[in-house]
Amino acid sequence: MRTGVRGWRLRRNPLRRRSDVVEAWTVLIVAVLLFVVTPLVGVAAGLRAHDTARSIAATQRAERHQVRARVIGAPPERLSTEQGDRAYAYRAQVRWTEPGKGTRTAWARVPSGTRTGDTVSVWFDARGHSVAPPPDDAAVWQHTVTVGLVAAGGAAAVVLLGHAVERRIALRHRLAEWEREWARTGPRWTQPRA
């Protein structure tokens, strides 16, 4: 015959220990933390990251300007991957004409796959140094989603780690309670009967 065991830790039961009740409430708290609080942490971190990334992108758009230039000279040479954007991982000499300033030549970051003679869009900062293009909306959203997922994952990991520690402590308390109970009732069971 089958009996229901749902909620057995919360019902009155002679085998129920205080640690069982604590563990049952802890499971409920962990479920709420995992399914409600953790996503909220991810959303909050993502929104904060979105605002920050959007303001950085706007600042970079204001500080940088784009020009259409023709690649001249030797074929583009590869930059080290530590210097930024992989799509603009090459450097080549480019020439363009600026209204009122004449023809200018400079070394600039160019998109991968660029050959000598190609016309490309390159970005320069206010000092005239070649820089990567400012992040677009897709990059901002990618950063937002990544930060949100990492924050939610980190919060979930902390909750699960805390739950594992709590279960270990609850097990230790449960074993101690059983030991005390056996110390009281054990002699009645183990004494020889005459």
Side-chain angles (χ1 to χ4, degrees):
M1 186 175 222
R2 241 179 124 152
T3 60
V5 292
R6 241 179 245 158
W8 69 272
R9 291 180 175 166
L10 299 176
R11 289 184 295 186
R12 290 278 171 211
N13 183 334
L15 298 177
R16 182 189 73 174
R17 302 286 180 248
R18 191 171 140 238
S19 60
D20 294 329
V21 174
V22 169
E23 193 171 358
W25 280 106
T26 304
V27 167
L28 180 66
I29 291 169
V30 165
V32 168
L33 288 174
L34 281 178
F35 296 115
V36 176
V37 175
T38 299
L40 290 176
V41 167
V43 167
L47 289 175
R48 182 174 169 91
H50 180 72
D51 289 342
T52 303
R54 202 171 60 188
S55 68
I56 288 172
T59 302
Q60 287 183 357
R61 275 190 222 106
E63 292 173 349
R64 300 173 182 188
H65 65 281
Q66 180 183 19
V67 297
R68 297 285 296 162
R70 181 174 301 277
V71 178
I72 60 171
E77 52 189 58
R78 182 142 177 85
L79 291 171
S80 68
T81 55
E82 299 169 359
Q83 291 184 346
D85 193 7
R86 288 188 182 175
Y88 284 79
Y90 291 87
R91 196 170 75 107
Q93 195 170 17
V94 297
R95 180 176 293 148
W96 72 97
T97 303
E98 275 190 36
K101 294 185 181 177
T103 303
R104 296 189 58 190
T105 303
W107 286 91
R109 293 173 180 234
V110 295
S112 58
T114 303
R115 289 185 233 122
T116 303
D118 289 349
T119 301
V120 294
S121 294
V122 292
W123 290 83
F124 293 97
D125 62 10
R127 294 173 293 181
H129 296 113
S130 175
V131 293
D136 57 356
D137 287 339
V140 169
W141 278 106
Q142 182 182 13
H143 176 71
T144 300
V145 170
T146 302
V147 168
L149 289 175
V150 168
V158 168
V159 168
L160 292 174
L161 179 65
H163 182 59
V165 168
E166 182 278 328
R167 284 192 48 105
R168 188 170 188 95
I169 292 169
L171 177 64
R172 194 173 302 156
H173 283 291
R174 184 179 306 115
L175 291 175
E177 287 174 350
W178 286 349
E179 189 68 33
R180 284 191 300 272
E181 200 62 34
W182 181 251
R184 258 187 306 174
T185 60
R188 288 188 294 182
W189 287 67
T190 56
Q191 286 184 0
R193 296 185 182 191

